[in-house]
Amino acid sequence: VPVDGSHWLSMREVVDILAQRGHEVVVVAPEASLHIKPAKSFVMKKHSVPLTQEDIEKEFQAFLYTLLKEGSFLERFFKIYEGMKRLGNLSVNACKLLLQDKELIRYLEESKF
């Protein structure tokens, strides 16, 4: 169950190698995602999240803007901290929704995920 962004970009190579070695790989991902897209090397199972693709992209762009914005060290530190906290909360909420998706959980249990 990858986390979008750099975590997924690192995992993608592992997923492809596992598939090349004959393993069946199942990726569980949120419906709205920056980088996690369907591919021939894995089966993708999606779960709902409260944000649209556009919302996710706007959140990420806002965070990037905060990273690059000028200001004192303390101003930037606290703005980046708040941005990280916001993105973290979005991830936690997505995980909660994943665990509440009875159909997806049933599929994972039956397939011995």
Side-chain angles (χ1 to χ4, degrees):
V1 181
V3 176
D4 205 356
S6 60
H7 293 85
W8 170 245
L9 298 176
S10 299
M11 282 298 299
R12 179 59 202 265
E13 187 174 343
V14 173
V15 166
D16 289 340
I17 290 169
L18 287 170
Q20 288 171 5
R21 293 184 180 177
H23 295 276
E24 178 185 0
V25 180
V26 177
V27 173
V28 177
E31 287 175 340
S33 170
L34 289 174
H35 300 291
I36 306 170
K37 305 296 179 211
K40 292 179 182 177
S41 59
F42 58 84
V43 174
M44 189 151 136
K45 295 291 183 181
K46 294 187 174 195
H47 64 91
S48 64
V49 288
L51 300 172
T52 66
Q53 184 69 32
E54 186 177 290
D55 293 334
I56 295 284
E57 290 170 8
K58 283 181 183 177
E59 287 288 338
F60 186 70
Q61 290 297 326
F63 182 69
L64 282 179
Y65 177 76
T66 300
L67 285 175
L68 301 173
K69 191 174 177 183
E70 291 187 25
S72 73
F73 172 78
L74 280 176
E75 286 174 326
R76 293 182 65 227
F77 175 83
F78 285 111
K79 286 182 181 180
I80 291 170
Y81 172 76
E82 288 299 318
M84 293 290 288
K85 201 163 79 171
R86 183 174 171 86
L87 292 174
N89 287 335
L90 291 173
S91 293
V92 168
N93 288 333
C95 288
K96 286 178 183 177
L97 288 171
L98 182 153
L99 295 173
Q100 293 170 2
D101 187 331
K102 291 181 182 3
E103 184 178 323
L104 177 59
I105 296 298
R106 186 174 24 263
Y107 166 83
L108 296 174
E109 287 173 345
E110 288 174 357
S111 65
K112 308 258 189 275
F113 184 78

